[in-house]
Protein backbone atom coordinates (compact mmCIF):
# COMPACT_ATOMS: atom_id res chain seq x y z
CA UNK A 1 0.00 0.00 0.00
CA UNK A 2 1.63 3.27 -1.13
CA UNK A 3 1.16 6.51 0.80
CA UNK A 4 0.07 9.64 -1.03
CA UNK A 5 -0.10 13.26 0.13
CA UNK A 6 -2.06 16.01 -1.61
CA UNK A 7 -0.57 19.50 -1.44
CA UNK A 8 -3.37 21.96 -2.32
CA UNK A 9 -6.86 20.63 -1.65
CA UNK A 10 -8.76 22.68 -4.26
CA UNK A 11 -10.60 21.82 -7.48
CA UNK A 12 -8.10 19.19 -8.65
CA UNK A 13 -6.65 18.22 -5.26
CA UNK A 14 -9.92 17.18 -3.63
CA UNK A 15 -10.83 15.07 -6.66
CA UNK A 16 -7.42 13.35 -6.77
CA UNK A 17 -7.72 12.66 -3.03
CA UNK A 18 -11.06 10.88 -3.55
CA UNK A 19 -9.73 8.96 -6.58
CA UNK A 20 -6.67 7.74 -4.63
CA UNK A 21 -8.82 6.85 -1.61
CA UNK A 22 -10.95 4.47 -3.66
CA UNK A 23 -7.97 2.46 -5.02
CA UNK A 24 -6.83 -0.68 -3.18
CA UNK A 25 -3.08 -0.21 -3.68
CA UNK A 26 -2.65 3.38 -2.41
CA UNK A 27 -3.98 5.54 0.41
CA UNK A 28 -4.21 9.21 1.34
CA UNK A 29 -2.05 9.96 4.40
CA UNK A 30 -2.63 13.71 4.38
CA UNK A 31 -3.97 16.70 2.48
CA UNK A 32 -2.85 20.29 2.90
CA UNK A 33 -4.77 23.56 3.08
CA UNK A 34 -3.59 27.18 3.35
CA UNK A 35 -7.00 28.57 4.21
CA UNK A 36 -9.43 27.27 6.85
CA UNK A 37 -12.46 27.29 4.55
CA UNK A 38 -15.32 24.80 3.95
CA UNK A 39 -12.98 22.56 1.90
CA UNK A 40 -10.63 22.23 4.89
CA UNK A 41 -13.59 21.40 7.15
CA UNK A 42 -14.92 18.83 4.67
CA UNK A 43 -11.50 17.17 4.29
CA UNK A 44 -11.49 16.58 8.05
CA UNK A 45 -15.08 15.29 7.98
CA UNK A 46 -14.11 12.83 5.22
CA UNK A 47 -11.36 11.49 7.45
CA UNK A 48 -8.36 12.90 5.54
CA UNK A 49 -5.63 14.01 7.96
CA UNK A 50 -5.32 17.79 7.42
CA UNK A 51 -1.96 19.57 7.40
CA UNK A 52 -1.33 23.31 7.12
CA UNK A 53 0.78 24.20 4.07
CA UNK A 54 1.70 27.61 5.52
CA UNK A 55 2.71 26.88 9.15
CA UNK A 56 2.55 30.61 10.06
CA UNK A 57 -1.23 30.45 9.44
CA UNK A 58 -1.86 27.85 12.17
CA UNK A 59 -3.72 30.43 14.30
CA UNK A 60 -6.32 30.93 11.54
CA UNK A 61 -7.22 27.23 11.70
CA UNK A 62 -7.43 27.38 15.51
CA UNK A 63 -9.72 30.44 15.30
CA UNK A 64 -11.92 28.62 12.76
CA UNK A 65 -12.14 25.57 15.03
CA UNK A 66 -10.70 23.26 12.34
CA UNK A 67 -8.67 20.40 13.75
CA UNK A 68 -5.33 19.88 12.02
CA UNK A 69 -2.93 16.95 12.30
CA UNK A 70 0.16 19.09 11.79
CA UNK A 71 2.03 21.25 9.30
CA UNK A 72 3.28 20.18 5.89
CA UNK A 73 6.73 19.57 7.41
CA UNK A 74 5.21 16.71 9.41
CA UNK A 75 3.72 15.19 6.24
CA UNK A 76 6.86 14.79 4.08
CA UNK A 77 8.16 11.78 6.06
CA UNK A 78 4.85 9.95 5.67
CA UNK A 79 4.45 10.05 1.88
CA UNK A 80 5.83 7.99 -1.02
CA UNK A 81 4.70 10.75 -3.37
CA UNK A 82 3.22 14.23 -2.99
CA UNK A 83 0.60 15.15 -5.58
CA UNK A 84 0.98 18.91 -5.92
CA UNK A 85 -2.34 20.54 -6.85
CA UNK A 86 -1.43 24.12 -5.95
CA UNK A 87 -2.24 26.97 -8.38
CA UNK A 88 -0.07 27.15 -11.51
CA UNK A 89 3.51 28.33 -10.88
CA UNK A 90 3.65 27.35 -7.22
CA UNK A 91 4.35 23.68 -7.93
CA UNK A 92 7.67 24.44 -9.64
CA UNK A 93 8.82 26.24 -6.47
CA UNK A 94 7.55 23.36 -4.31
CA UNK A 95 9.59 20.93 -6.43
CA UNK A 96 12.76 22.37 -4.88
CA UNK A 97 11.38 21.70 -1.39
CA UNK A 98 10.36 18.13 -2.31
CA UNK A 99 13.89 17.54 -3.65
CA UNK A 100 15.38 18.77 -0.35
CA UNK A 101 13.04 16.47 1.59
CA UNK A 102 13.69 13.50 -0.72
CA UNK A 103 10.03 13.24 -1.72
CA UNK A 104 8.74 12.39 -5.21
CA UNK A 105 6.28 14.87 -6.71
CA UNK A 106 3.47 14.91 -9.26
CA UNK A 107 2.54 18.33 -10.66
CA UNK A 108 -0.39 19.63 -12.70
CA UNK A 109 -0.80 21.31 -16.08
CA UNK A 110 -0.38 24.83 -14.70
CA UNK A 111 3.35 24.13 -14.34
CA UNK A 112 5.80 24.45 -17.23
CA UNK A 113 7.12 21.18 -18.68
CA UNK A 114 10.68 22.57 -18.72
CA UNK A 115 10.59 23.29 -14.98
CA UNK A 116 9.37 19.83 -14.01
CA UNK A 117 11.33 17.87 -16.64
CA UNK A 118 8.84 15.14 -17.56
CA UNK A 119 5.17 15.13 -18.57
CA UNK A 120 2.61 12.34 -18.43
CA UNK A 121 -0.48 11.00 -20.14
CA UNK A 122 -1.67 7.46 -19.37
CA UNK A 123 -2.23 6.56 -23.03
CA UNK A 124 0.71 8.36 -24.64
CA UNK A 125 3.80 7.83 -22.47
CA UNK A 126 3.08 5.93 -19.21
CA UNK A 127 6.22 3.79 -19.45
CA UNK A 128 8.51 6.78 -20.07
CA UNK A 129 7.72 7.90 -16.53
CA UNK A 130 8.52 4.55 -14.87
CA UNK A 131 10.26 5.27 -11.56
CA UNK A 132 10.58 9.02 -12.29
CA UNK A 133 10.92 11.46 -9.37
CA UNK A 134 9.15 14.54 -10.77
CA UNK A 135 6.40 14.37 -13.35
CA UNK A 136 3.72 16.77 -14.57
CA UNK A 137 0.29 15.45 -15.59
CA UNK A 138 -0.57 17.50 -18.68
CA UNK A 139 -3.46 19.99 -18.57
CA UNK A 140 -7.15 19.22 -19.01
CA UNK A 141 -7.14 20.37 -22.65
CA UNK A 142 -3.97 18.44 -23.48
CA UNK A 143 -5.33 15.33 -21.75
CA UNK A 144 -8.49 15.62 -23.87
CA UNK A 145 -6.49 15.97 -27.09
CA UNK A 146 -4.24 12.99 -26.27
CA UNK A 147 -7.15 10.74 -25.27
CA UNK A 148 -8.60 10.82 -28.80
CA UNK A 149 -5.53 11.55 -30.95
CA UNK A 150 -3.47 8.61 -29.62
CA UNK A 151 -5.97 5.89 -30.65
CA UNK A 152 -6.52 7.61 -34.01
CA UNK A 153 -2.75 7.73 -34.57
CA UNK A 154 -2.55 4.02 -33.70
CA UNK A 155 -5.42 3.26 -36.12
CA UNK A 156 -4.30 5.08 -39.24
CA UNK A 157 -1.28 7.30 -38.58
CA UNK A 158 -1.52 11.06 -38.22
CA UNK A 159 0.26 13.40 -40.65
CA UNK A 160 -0.85 16.66 -39.14
CA UNK A 161 -3.37 18.03 -36.61
CA UNK A 162 -5.06 21.43 -36.54
CA UNK A 163 -7.28 22.11 -33.52
CA UNK A 164 -9.32 25.03 -32.25
CA UNK A 165 -10.18 25.00 -28.56
CA UNK A 166 -13.12 26.87 -27.08
CA UNK A 167 -12.18 27.21 -23.41
CA UNK A 168 -14.44 27.81 -20.41
CA UNK A 169 -13.89 31.25 -18.86
CA UNK A 170 -14.03 30.00 -15.26
CA UNK A 171 -14.65 26.88 -13.21
CA UNK A 172 -18.16 26.73 -11.65
CA UNK A 173 -16.83 27.59 -8.19
CA UNK A 174 -14.80 30.63 -9.27
CA UNK A 175 -16.08 34.18 -8.74
CA UNK A 176 -13.28 36.36 -10.12
CA UNK A 177 -12.56 34.88 -13.57
CA UNK A 178 -14.12 35.73 -16.89
CA UNK A 179 -14.98 36.91 -19.47
CA UNK A 180 -18.69 37.44 -18.82
CA UNK A 181 -19.60 39.22 -22.08
CA UNK A 182 -16.85 38.60 -24.63
CA UNK A 183 -15.12 36.04 -26.81
CA UNK A 184 -11.40 36.39 -26.14
CA UNK A 185 -8.71 34.88 -28.35
CA UNK A 186 -6.57 33.36 -25.58
CA UNK A 187 -3.77 33.38 -26.20
CA UNK A 188 -4.18 35.91 -29.07
CA UNK A 189 -1.09 34.42 -30.71
CA UNK A 190 -0.93 31.34 -32.95
CA UNK A 191 -0.08 28.63 -32.13
CA UNK A 192 -1.49 28.47 -28.63
CA UNK A 193 0.56 26.62 -26.01
CA UNK A 194 -1.69 23.53 -26.26
CA UNK A 195 0.01 22.03 -29.34
CA UNK A 196 3.52 22.17 -27.85
CA UNK A 197 2.02 20.78 -24.63
CA UNK A 198 0.69 17.73 -26.51
CA UNK A 199 4.22 17.25 -27.91
CA UNK A 200 5.55 16.82 -24.35
CA UNK A 201 3.81 13.41 -24.32
CA UNK A 202 3.15 12.60 -28.04
CA UNK A 203 6.66 13.61 -29.02
CA UNK A 204 6.55 13.41 -32.85
CA UNK A 205 3.03 14.68 -33.47
CA UNK A 206 2.70 17.59 -35.92
CA UNK A 207 0.02 19.69 -34.19
CA UNK A 208 -0.92 23.37 -34.28
CA UNK A 209 -3.61 24.80 -32.00
CA UNK A 210 -5.60 28.02 -31.55
CA UNK A 211 -7.72 28.83 -28.51
CA UNK A 212 -10.33 31.26 -27.27
CA UNK A 213 -12.09 31.90 -23.98
CA UNK A 214 -15.89 32.16 -23.80
CA UNK A 215 -18.36 32.98 -21.00
CA UNK A 216 -19.17 29.43 -19.89
CA UNK A 217 -18.11 27.36 -16.89
CA UNK A 218 -19.14 23.79 -17.59
CA UNK A 219 -16.68 22.37 -20.14
CA UNK A 220 -14.09 23.09 -22.82
CA UNK A 221 -15.00 22.26 -26.42
CA UNK A 222 -12.48 21.19 -29.13
CA UNK A 223 -12.72 21.20 -32.95
CA UNK A 224 -10.18 18.96 -34.67
CA UNK A 225 -8.97 18.57 -38.25
CA UNK A 226 -6.62 15.61 -38.61
CA UNK A 227 -4.69 14.78 -41.81
CA UNK A 228 -4.16 11.00 -41.93
CA UNK A 229 -1.51 8.65 -43.35
CA UNK A 230 -4.14 6.01 -44.22
CA UNK A 231 -7.80 6.74 -44.75
CA UNK A 232 -10.17 4.81 -42.47
CA UNK A 233 -13.95 4.75 -42.79
CA UNK A 234 -15.96 6.77 -40.29
CA UNK A 235 -17.15 3.44 -38.87
CA UNK A 236 -13.51 2.39 -38.25
CA UNK A 237 -12.98 5.58 -36.26
CA UNK A 238 -16.22 5.05 -34.33
CA UNK A 239 -15.20 1.46 -33.48
CA UNK A 240 -11.78 2.67 -32.34
CA UNK A 241 -13.11 5.45 -30.12
CA UNK A 242 -15.80 3.17 -28.70
CA UNK A 243 -13.06 0.73 -27.70
CA UNK A 244 -10.92 3.46 -26.11
CA UNK A 245 -11.18 3.74 -22.31
CA UNK A 246 -12.08 7.19 -20.93
CA UNK A 247 -13.64 8.24 -24.25
CA UNK A 248 -17.41 8.17 -24.89
CA UNK A 249 -19.38 8.90 -28.03
CA UNK A 250 -22.41 11.15 -27.52
CA UNK A 251 -25.18 12.02 -29.95
CA UNK A 252 -26.95 15.35 -30.42
CA UNK A 253 -29.86 13.32 -31.74
CA UNK A 254 -30.23 11.76 -28.27
CA UNK A 255 -30.39 15.12 -26.52
CA UNK A 256 -26.65 15.55 -25.97
CA UNK A 257 -26.08 18.34 -28.48
CA UNK A 258 -24.34 20.78 -26.11
CA UNK A 259 -21.97 20.95 -23.14
CA UNK A 260 -24.97 21.89 -20.94
CA UNK A 261 -26.82 18.70 -21.84
CA UNK A 262 -23.70 16.55 -21.46
CA UNK A 263 -23.15 17.90 -17.95
CA UNK A 264 -26.85 17.40 -17.15
CA UNK A 265 -26.33 13.75 -18.17
CA UNK A 266 -23.21 13.66 -15.93
CA UNK A 267 -25.36 14.93 -13.03
CA UNK A 268 -27.85 12.14 -13.74
CA UNK A 269 -25.03 9.57 -13.51
CA UNK A 270 -25.02 10.42 -9.80
CA UNK A 271 -21.26 10.57 -9.42
CA UNK A 272 -19.59 12.63 -6.74
CA UNK A 273 -19.50 16.32 -7.84
CA UNK A 274 -21.21 15.29 -11.15
CA UNK A 275 -17.78 14.68 -12.63
CA UNK A 276 -17.36 13.43 -16.18
CA UNK A 277 -13.90 11.88 -16.32
CA UNK A 278 -14.48 10.68 -19.90
CA UNK A 279 -13.90 12.79 -23.04
CA UNK A 280 -17.22 13.17 -24.90
CA UNK A 281 -16.89 13.01 -28.72
CA UNK A 282 -19.93 14.02 -30.78
CA UNK A 283 -20.65 11.00 -32.99
CA UNK A 284 -22.36 13.11 -35.66
CA UNK A 285 -19.29 15.35 -35.98
CA UNK A 286 -17.03 12.50 -37.14
CA UNK A 287 -16.35 12.81 -40.86
CA UNK A 288 -13.58 11.74 -43.21
CA UNK A 289 -13.08 13.91 -46.31
CA UNK A 290 -10.10 13.84 -48.72
CA UNK A 291 -7.93 11.92 -46.25
CA UNK A 292 -8.78 14.25 -43.37
CA UNK A 293 -10.73 13.39 -40.22
CA UNK A 294 -12.95 16.01 -38.58
CA UNK A 295 -14.51 15.82 -35.13
CA UNK A 296 -15.70 17.79 -32.11
CA UNK A 297 -15.35 16.89 -28.45
CA UNK A 298 -16.11 18.20 -24.96
CA UNK A 299 -13.86 18.11 -21.89
CA UNK A 300 -14.92 18.34 -18.25
CA UNK A 301 -11.93 20.42 -17.18
CA UNK A 302 -12.36 19.83 -13.44
CA UNK A 303 -12.11 16.05 -13.64
CA UNK A 304 -10.56 14.55 -16.81
CA UNK A 305 -6.99 14.71 -15.41
CA UNK A 306 -7.94 12.94 -12.17
CA UNK A 307 -7.61 9.28 -13.31
CA UNK A 308 -4.34 10.23 -15.04
CA UNK A 309 -2.94 11.33 -11.66
CA UNK A 310 -3.73 7.88 -10.23
CA UNK A 311 -1.98 6.11 -13.16
CA UNK A 312 0.96 8.50 -12.82
CA UNK A 313 1.39 7.43 -9.17
CA UNK A 314 1.54 3.77 -10.31
CA UNK A 315 4.15 4.54 -12.97
CA UNK A 316 6.37 6.68 -10.73
CA UNK A 317 6.20 4.27 -7.77
CA UNK A 318 6.75 1.25 -10.08
CA UNK A 319 3.50 -0.39 -9.00
CA UNK A 320 2.18 -1.60 -12.39
CA UNK A 321 4.26 -1.93 -15.54
CA UNK A 322 1.39 -2.31 -17.99
CA UNK A 323 -0.42 1.00 -18.63
CA UNK A 324 -3.55 -0.83 -19.81
CA UNK A 325 -3.76 -2.68 -16.47
CA UNK A 326 -3.35 0.53 -14.47
CA UNK A 327 -5.97 2.31 -16.60
CA UNK A 328 -8.37 -0.61 -16.13
CA UNK A 329 -7.82 -0.73 -12.37
CA UNK A 330 -8.22 3.04 -11.95
CA UNK A 331 -11.37 3.05 -14.08
CA UNK A 332 -12.96 0.14 -12.24
CA UNK A 333 -12.37 1.70 -8.83
CA UNK A 334 -13.61 5.13 -9.95
CA UNK A 335 -16.65 3.81 -11.83
CA UNK A 336 -15.44 5.20 -15.16
CA UNK A 337 -17.31 4.04 -18.26
CA UNK A 338 -15.27 1.66 -20.45
P1 LIG B 1 -7.56 25.75 -7.04
O1 LIG B 1 -7.30 27.20 -6.87
O2 LIG B 1 -8.96 25.26 -7.16
O3 LIG B 1 -6.89 24.93 -5.85
C1 LIG B 1 -5.58 25.21 -5.42
C2 LIG B 1 -5.46 24.86 -3.94
O4 LIG B 1 -4.12 25.14 -3.52
C3 LIG B 1 -6.37 25.68 -3.04
O5 LIG B 1 -6.88 24.82 -2.03
C4 LIG B 1 -5.45 26.73 -2.42
O6 LIG B 1 -5.89 27.14 -1.15
C5 LIG B 1 -4.16 25.96 -2.34
N1 LIG B 1 -2.96 26.80 -2.34
C6 LIG B 1 -2.80 28.05 -2.82
N2 LIG B 1 -1.55 28.46 -2.65
C7 LIG B 1 -0.89 27.44 -2.04
C8 LIG B 1 0.44 27.25 -1.59
N3 LIG B 1 1.36 28.23 -1.72
N4 LIG B 1 0.78 26.07 -1.02
C9 LIG B 1 -0.13 25.09 -0.88
N5 LIG B 1 -1.42 25.21 -1.29
C10 LIG B 1 -1.78 26.38 -1.85
O7 LIG B 1 -6.69 25.32 -8.31
P2 LIG B 1 -7.00 24.11 -9.31
O8 LIG B 1 -7.99 24.55 -10.32
O9 LIG B 1 -7.23 22.87 -8.53
O10 LIG B 1 -5.61 24.02 -10.09
C11 LIG B 1 -4.49 23.33 -9.53
C12 LIG B 1 -3.56 22.93 -10.66
O11 LIG B 1 -4.28 22.05 -11.54
C13 LIG B 1 -3.06 24.09 -11.53
O12 LIG B 1 -1.78 23.76 -12.01
C14 LIG B 1 -4.03 24.09 -12.70
O13 LIG B 1 -3.51 24.67 -13.86
C15 LIG B 1 -4.26 22.59 -12.87
N6 LIG B 1 -5.51 22.21 -13.54
C16 LIG B 1 -6.68 22.85 -13.26
C17 LIG B 1 -7.83 22.48 -13.94
C18 LIG B 1 -9.13 23.17 -13.70
O14 LIG B 1 -9.96 23.20 -14.59
N7 LIG B 1 -9.39 23.73 -12.57
C19 LIG B 1 -7.79 21.43 -14.86
C20 LIG B 1 -6.59 20.74 -15.06
C21 LIG B 1 -5.44 21.15 -14.40
Amino acid sequence: MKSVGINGYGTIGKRVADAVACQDDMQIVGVTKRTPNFEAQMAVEKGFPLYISAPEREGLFEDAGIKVTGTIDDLYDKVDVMVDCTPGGIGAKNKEVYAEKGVKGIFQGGEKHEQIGKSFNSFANYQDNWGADYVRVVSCNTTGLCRTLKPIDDLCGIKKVRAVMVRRGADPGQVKSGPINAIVPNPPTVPSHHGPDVQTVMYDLDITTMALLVPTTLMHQHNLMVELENTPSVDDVIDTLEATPRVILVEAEKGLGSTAEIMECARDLGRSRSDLFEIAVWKESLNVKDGELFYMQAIHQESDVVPENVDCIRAMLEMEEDPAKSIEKTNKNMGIMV
Side-chain angles (χ1 to χ4, degrees):
M1 183 71 87
K2 297 294 183 184
S3 296
V4 179
I6 305 286
N7 191 14
Y9 190 76
T11 306
I12 300 298
K14 61 190 175 187
R15 287 172 166 82
V16 174
D18 285 352
V20 168
C22 71
Q23 308 298 315
D24 57 13
D25 53 352
M26 55 184 82
Q27 61 181 345
I28 292 291
V29 292
V31 306
T32 79
K33 279 298 293 177
R34 268 192 108 239
T35 311
N37 64 3
F38 71 94
E39 286 169 326
Q41 182 62 43
M42 288 177 82
V44 174
E45 283 167 18
K46 276 182 175 228
F48 294 139
L50 181 67
Y51 293 82
I52 306 175
S53 55
E56 70 279 7
R57 293 164 71 98
E58 198 161 0
L60 296 178
F61 284 77
E62 270 169 32
D63 292 348
I66 297 178
K67 192 177 168 334
V68 299
T69 304
T71 70
I72 192 166
D73 288 324
D74 305 316
L75 181 57
Y76 293 121
D77 285 347
K78 299 186 169 69
V79 303
D80 293 305
V81 63
M82 188 76 89
V83 184
D84 191 297
C85 303
T86 58
I90 294 175
K93 292 183 195 131
N94 288 343
K95 182 185 165 202
E96 292 166 24
V97 180
Y98 302 156
E100 265 172 39
K101 304 281 180 191
V103 169
K104 289 190 182 223
I106 294 180
F107 303 87
Q108 308 303 315
E111 306 306 322
K112 290 193 167 54
H113 169 80
E114 296 70 28
Q115 288 182 300
I116 304 302
K118 290 175 100 55
S119 290
F120 177 91
N121 172 265
S122 304
F123 298 82
N125 72 340
Y126 180 103
Q127 276 137 336
D128 294 350
N129 290 288
W130 186 252
D133 288 335
Y134 302 106
V135 179
R136 161 184 168 270
V137 171
V138 291
S139 75
C140 47
N141 278 303
T142 305
T143 297
L145 291 168
C146 293
R147 285 255 186 93
T148 51
L149 288 170
K150 180 67 172 67
I152 290 166
D153 194 26
D154 291 344
L155 172 72
C156 47
I158 292 177
K159 269 196 214 161
K160 185 158 93 175
V161 180
R162 300 289 177 260
V164 179
M165 265 92 61
V166 182
R167 303 167 66 193
R168 59 91 179 93
D171 284 340
Q174 288 179 322
V175 291
K176 289 185 186 160
S177 301
I180 59 169
N181 69 342
I183 297 170
V184 186
N186 184 275
T189 48
V190 180
S192 71
H193 59 276
H194 304 92
D197 202 30
V198 171
Q199 290 163 335
T200 65
V201 289
M202 292 182 70
Y203 313 118
D204 300 324
L205 192 70
D206 180 345
I207 176 167
T208 303
T209 50
M210 301 166 77
L212 40 135
L213 281 176
V214 298
T216 187
T217 61
L218 297 175
M219 301 185 98
H220 299 301
Q221 192 273 345
H222 294 173
N223 306 283
L224 289 103
M225 293 137 271
V226 186
E227 280 184 37
L228 304 167
E229 300 279 357
N230 303 299
T231 307
S233 67
V234 171
D235 283 344
D236 291 337
V237 180
I238 289 174
D239 290 347
T240 298
L241 293 179
E242 273 178 347
T244 302
R246 300 182 192 162
V247 173
I248 54 170
L249 292 179
V250 297
E251 292 175 62
E253 198 182 46
K254 293 189 177 158
L256 295 169
S258 69
T259 54
E261 289 154 311
I262 291 172
M263 287 315 292
E264 181 65 11
C265 177
R267 281 191 280 272
D268 287 348
L269 285 173
R271 287 182 182 156
S272 171
R273 303 186 182 91
S274 308
D275 284 339
L276 189 72
F277 306 107
E278 301 85 349
I279 305 306
V281 178
W282 275 285
K283 197 169 181 179
E284 292 101 328
S285 73
L286 286 160
N287 196 8
V288 179
K289 193 170 175 292
D290 300 332
E292 199 169 358
L293 170 69
F294 298 84
Y295 64 100
M296 299 177 189
Q297 63 183 20
I299 279 83
H300 185 222
Q301 76 280 353
E302 296 175 285
S303 69
D304 71 327
V305 299
V306 173
E308 253 68 8
N309 273 271
V310 175
D311 295 330
C312 189
I313 292 169
R314 287 208 187 90
M316 287 171 67
L317 298 183
E318 303 183 349
M319 297 164 69
E320 174 53 67
E321 266 184 81
D322 182 351
K325 285 193 183 152
S326 177
I327 289 166
E328 192 184 339
K329 190 176 177 73
T330 305
N331 288 356
K332 188 164 168 263
N333 291 327
M334 290 178 68
I336 291 177
M337 287 178 260
V338 288

